[in-house]
Amino acid sequence: MLSIRNLHASVEDKAILKGLDLEVKAGEVHAIMGPNGSGKSTLGNVLAGRESYEVTEGEVLLDGKDLLDLAPEDRAREGVFLAFQYPVEIPGVSNINFLKTALNEIREYKGLPPMEARDFLNRVKEKQKLVEFDAKLANRSLNEGFSGGEKKRNEIFQLAMLDPKLAILDETDSGLDIDALRIVARGVNQLRSKDNAFIVITHYQRLLEYIVPDFVHVLYNGRIVRSGTKELALELEEKGYDWIKETVDAEGA
Ligand code: ADP
Ligand code: MG
Ligand code: MG
């Protein structure tokens, strides 16, 4: 589904990603871990097509299509969901209206007519139930005055509604509380299927106690330096990131 080859990217002329390779197949959940500053969020931002991130080399294919050629909106229409794109506050636009617009844009892109109002409302109900999302939040303005936990819930609800092919969740290092971790994990576990894939970016192993990934990758100094299964996350937890830095730096020397 997603194929990243030899990806190099810079921010303000500083090379951050330095030859990153990653293959993600449908049905898989990949965790990306790594020390602070290794380029995890940069990877998410590059995939999202954020302006200040310049790709200098390499390719990113989504089902064979060059993702880097597409505008950020078109990446979303192709079925890429970046969780951190949405926690913006938009006063005056209800969650529901935002999602109706987003869904219909995706449908239009696929050559489908807008969703019937009744089908849309049924979908809202079904997904609210699936991710245990409070109906009151759905009708409020997008993220306005939401608590951290409510934003997370909303993010998972949006994910459920939009049903993307590939979801990338950057769970910022700055400390999600345990409730937020559970919300994210429960959402991902409900929504994972043979037709979609998840990339879960996290500094900490604890999220992976709730989401069991098929693969764990360690990003260090702009490249994936180790890949394994969930045991790799446990090993990291035990030995710490210094162990990775030392072994990788020694290999490079
Ligand atoms: P991680 O998410 O793994 O902690 P980041 O991708 O956030 O790492 O950052 C990797 C490096 O890129 C860091 O040295 C950081 O300072 C730099 N960086 C990331 N985004 C920007 C930006 N917008 N402007 C300048 N430097 C940035
Ligand atoms: Mg960081
Ligand atoms: Mg980060």
Side-chain angles (χ1 to χ4, degrees), residues 42-250:
T42 299
L43 174 63
N45 285 316
V46 167
L47 294 176
R50 287 264 171 103
E51 248 177 43
S52 43
Y53 296 81
E54 195 199 349
V55 174
T56 52
E57 212 182 317
E59 65 176 7
V60 179
L61 301 177
L62 181 74
D63 286 334
K65 203 177 249 185
D66 188 347
L67 201 65
L68 300 176
D69 260 0
L70 298 177
E73 317 77 88
D74 286 336
R75 298 181 194 199
R77 291 174 185 134
E78 285 288 342
V80 180
F81 178 95
L82 291 126
F84 49 31
Q85 271 187 333
Y86 296 96
V88 289
E89 297 187 7
I90 310 183
V93 175
S94 78
N95 245 322
I96 289 295
N97 280 330
F98 167 79
L99 283 169
K100 194 185 279 173
T101 304
L103 257 181
N104 282 332
E105 276 181 14
I106 292 170
R107 289 174 64 88
E108 192 184 345
Y109 188 74
K110 291 181 180 163
L112 296 169
M115 213 170 195
E116 297 281 349
R118 196 176 32 164
D119 293 341
F120 177 76
L121 289 175
N122 284 338
R123 187 180 177 88
V124 168
K125 272 190 206 143
E126 179 201 325
K127 300 301 183 185
Q128 268 174 351
K129 210 167 169 186
L130 182 73
V131 298
E132 297 169 55
F133 186 72
D134 187 339
K136 282 197 297 279
L137 294 178
N139 291 307
R140 277 181 29 196
S141 282
L142 189 59
N143 283 325
E144 198 181 9
F146 279 26
S147 70
E150 287 171 342
K151 280 186 184 171
K152 275 291 144 198
R153 262 177 217 286
N154 200 26
E155 183 179 295
I156 296 300
F157 175 60
Q158 291 176 349
L159 186 63
M161 283 296 292
L162 298 175
D163 191 23
K165 236 190 307 202
L166 174 69
I168 302 155
L169 311 178
D170 188 356
E171 299 312 326
T172 61
D173 309 334
S174 53
L176 286 184
D177 63 23
I178 208 76
D179 286 339
L181 284 180
R182 288 209 178 102
I183 292 164
V184 171
R186 203 168 45 206
V188 171
N189 290 331
Q190 294 281 359
L191 297 170
R192 64 199 283 188
S193 82
K194 65 176 177 27
D195 299 316
N196 62 27
F198 288 82
I199 296 177
V200 180
I201 299 173
T202 181
H203 180 72
Y204 298 110
Q205 186 270 339
R206 54 182 191 163
L207 179 61
L208 307 181
E209 287 170 16
Y210 303 99
I211 301 173
V212 179
D214 299 296
F215 299 97
V216 173
H217 309 278
V218 180
L219 181 50
Y220 171 56
N221 196 16
R223 301 177 63 215
I224 287 179
V225 295
R226 288 284 183 283
S227 293
T229 55
K230 64 181 194 317
E231 279 71 30
L232 177 58
L234 296 173
E235 197 175 2
L236 276 172
E237 180 82 348
E238 195 185 313
K239 297 183 179 169
Y241 284 118
D242 284 344
W243 163 69
I244 284 285
K245 291 182 189 172
E246 281 158 19
T247 50
V248 171
D249 291 344

